[in-house]
Amino acid sequence: MSFKNDLILLMKPYYWVNILMGLSYLIAKRAPFVCNLLWKHLFQQDECELDGRETEILFFLLVIVMIRTRKTGSVTMINYLTASFMYTKVANLGLWFYSDIRLGLIYGALFILFGLLLPEPTYTGPENIVYFRQVNGLDEELEKNKTVNWLVVFYTVWNPACANFAPVFAQLSTEYNLPNLKFGKVDVGRFPEAGKKYHVSDSSLSRQLPTLILFRNGKEIVRRPYADSKGKLQKFFFSYDNVKAGFDLNNLYKDCKENPINVKQQKAIDKKHN
């Protein structure tokens, strides 16, 4: 997404509320008005400075956020923010408890309340994607017509990397969709049996989310991320350009367009499965 689109997204309550939650302790300590109201009037503290322990926690938080966002392949401002929200809020929770247990309890309550009332916004733009909402939905579709090529993403709704990839996959689906080149999604959080069949873990610690697989002639041809000969999972950044290159979409699209589905054959297949 463009920087302009990122700025528009930032206007949504989910983002600015989480940004404020992530900066709350630093604002309380460094903003003069908040400092005077909270620390000096309520807690009778003369100074609003970060002590050594608080500085260490914030520095450690910065390091963790940088490492984790790089591991998730975050490439835009929104991606970096969504990947860091949980870490910043947990760090702030610890800081508020460190300062005063009452403030920690209040922050913890807000943490839970906003989490329930303000879920992360999902992509709602144009797309040409088939959502397989049955355990065997993908299997049946692959068996139904093997002349159709399928690019399928295995995802969960709660994983930030999957949420970040959603608009990229949607854009690809609108640009490259053909009768014999289709795009699909399988929610392995909802259908873990499908994840097991295609060797995609839905664990909260899984490094396989999202997983993108290209099927040709009903069989898996390419997947990202993939495991090497030693079983080590190879990192893959799910950007628009990386997916195009990793799955050779331009040549695949050209091949599919030059070899369209036979109309009579397709009608016979549809009749057989209806």
Side-chain angles (χ1 to χ4, degrees):
M1 292 184 296
S2 67
F3 182 72
K4 181 180 178 180
N5 289 337
D6 282 353
L7 290 178
I8 293 173
L9 280 176
L10 283 178
M11 297 299 102
K12 294 186 177 183
Y14 170 82
Y15 294 103
W16 58 261
V17 168
N18 276 282
I19 290 173
L20 288 176
M21 291 282 286
L23 296 175
S24 61
Y25 194 81
L26 193 59
I27 293 173
K29 278 285 187 176
R30 303 302 298 167
F33 173 76
V34 182
C35 170
N36 290 329
L37 177 65
L38 186 61
W39 304 111
K40 291 186 178 181
H41 290 173
L42 294 182
F43 294 98
Q44 305 300 315
Q45 294 183 10
D46 295 331
E47 296 183 359
C48 291
E49 297 290 338
L50 296 170
D51 63 24
R53 176 62 61 84
E54 293 167 337
T55 303
E56 289 176 1
I57 293 174
L58 290 173
F59 180 76
F60 182 69
L61 169 65
L62 178 63
V63 172
I64 292 296
V65 168
M66 291 177 64
I67 293 174
R68 295 302 300 174
T69 50
R70 285 187 64 84
K71 284 187 175 182
T72 58
S74 302
V75 292
T76 69
M77 176 177 64
I78 289 293
N79 295 161
Y80 277 110
L81 285 174
T82 54
S84 66
F85 281 155
M86 181 57 66
Y87 304 106
T88 56
K89 290 188 291 186
V90 169
N92 272 267
L93 181 63
L95 287 167
W96 284 112
F97 268 110
Y98 172 75
S99 176
D100 187 275
I101 190 172
R102 292 167 295 179
L103 295 177
L105 291 173
I106 293 173
Y107 185 89
L110 292 174
F111 189 138
I112 296 172
L113 180 63
F114 289 140
L116 295 173
L117 297 180
L118 295 175
E120 183 176 353
T122 56
Y123 178 77
T124 57
E127 59 180 34
N128 277 313
I129 298 173
V130 177
Y131 288 83
F132 296 105
R133 306 188 188 279
Q134 297 179 354
V135 174
N136 297 319
L138 176 58
D139 298 343
E140 293 172 357
E141 193 62 43
L142 292 175
E143 186 64 29
K144 176 182 175 181
N145 189 351
K146 294 185 178 181
T147 62
V148 176
N149 302 282
W150 281 93
L151 190 61
V152 181
V153 61
F154 295 79
Y155 74 105
T156 63
V157 295
W158 48 261
N159 184 274
C162 295
N164 293 337
F165 181 53
V168 174
F169 192 64
Q171 182 180 355
L172 291 167
S173 74
T174 59
E175 293 181 6
Y176 289 91
N177 187 73
L178 290 170
N180 54 349
L181 176 55
K182 296 185 178 182
F183 293 75
K185 276 190 168 186
V186 177
D187 185 350
V188 295
R190 185 178 178 186
F191 303 112
E193 297 86 352
K196 291 179 182 178
K197 177 176 177 59
Y198 291 99
H199 309 291
V200 179
S201 171
D202 64 336
S203 165
S204 59
L205 300 177
S206 175
R207 296 173 59 195
Q208 295 179 285
L209 296 172
T211 287
L212 191 58
I213 302 179
L214 174 63
F215 295 93
R216 302 199 71 175
N217 298 317
K219 295 182 179 180
E220 176 182 330
I221 301 299
V222 183
R223 83 158 54 199
R224 294 290 187 275
Y226 68 95
D228 61 18
S229 58
K230 296 181 180 179
K232 183 178 180 181
L233 201 66
Q234 299 300 301
K235 185 188 302 182
F236 184 79
F237 288 171
F238 285 90
S239 67
Y240 177 83
D241 290 331
N242 283 354
V243 172
K244 283 177 60 178
F247 292 86
D248 197 16
L249 283 184
N250 286 335
N251 286 326
L252 177 60
Y253 180 84
K254 181 181 178 182
D255 180 60
C256 290
K257 202 161 188 179
E258 292 175 350
N259 299 280
I261 295 177
N262 184 285
V263 177
K264 291 183 178 180
Q265 183 183 7
Q266 182 62 48
K267 288 182 178 179
I269 291 172
D270 292 339
K271 184 177 181 180
K272 179 181 177 181
H273 289 84
N274 287 335

